[in-house]
Amino acid sequence: MIIYHNPKCSKSRACLLQLAQIPTNLEVVRYLETPLSVDELKELIQKLNIKPIALVRQKESIWIEKYKDKKMTPLAVLKALAQHPILIERPIVVNGSKAVIARPWERIHEII
């Protein structure tokens, strides 16, 4: 399993704590330090089975200042997420071909 994690986020920390109790190989990706490429984001969107805009933290100041009132294609949204990874909803947990935005953390049970 993989968790896309932001250690400053309490929801992300709570999810990581729960995942640590599951006997599995867990890879922790600090996506703010290692941003995802557009192609990696496309793959993640497919696993989440959502549209790119659903992955955006739309209350973040960067989104409000730079993108909020713009009409954006899905690819433009992915490029914004790749450029500003702070905009990515968190935490995201991936298990094989499935993924969830683990808010609340209990959503991890959907893919285990």
Side-chain angles (χ1 to χ4, degrees):
M1 277 200 283
I2 301 169
I3 180 172
Y4 292 93
H5 176 60
N6 177 350
K8 292 183 180 179
C9 173
S10 62
K11 302 284 187 199
S12 193
R13 289 192 311 266
C15 185
L16 182 58
L17 188 64
Q18 294 302 317
L19 286 170
Q21 297 177 33
I22 299 171
T24 184
N25 290 331
L26 180 62
E27 178 183 352
V28 178
V29 176
R30 292 183 176 197
Y31 65 92
L32 294 178
E33 297 170 12
T34 309
L36 286 83
S37 69
V38 169
D39 287 338
E40 290 169 322
L41 286 164
K42 282 180 186 177
E43 184 179 330
L44 192 56
I45 291 289
Q46 287 179 337
K47 290 178 180 183
L48 287 163
N49 195 29
I50 61 173
K51 296 188 182 302
I53 195 69
L55 193 57
V56 176
R57 295 175 53 85
Q58 295 184 34
K59 293 182 181 177
E60 285 287 337
S61 59
I62 292 172
W63 181 261
I64 293 167
E65 293 165 11
K66 293 187 174 214
Y67 304 107
K68 180 182 176 191
D69 295 323
K70 293 184 179 180
K71 184 176 171 138
M72 297 178 69
T73 65
L75 180 57
V77 172
L78 291 173
K79 287 180 179 180
L81 291 170
Q83 186 176 4
H84 306 285
I86 192 70
L87 294 175
I88 298 171
E89 278 288 356
R90 59 189 177 254
I92 300 168
V93 178
V94 178
N95 189 8
S97 64
K98 298 177 185 177
V100 293
I101 298 171
R103 293 178 75 99
W105 70 262
E106 290 91 350
R107 290 207 57 215
I108 63 176
H109 297 294
E110 296 173 21
I111 62 168
I112 293 177

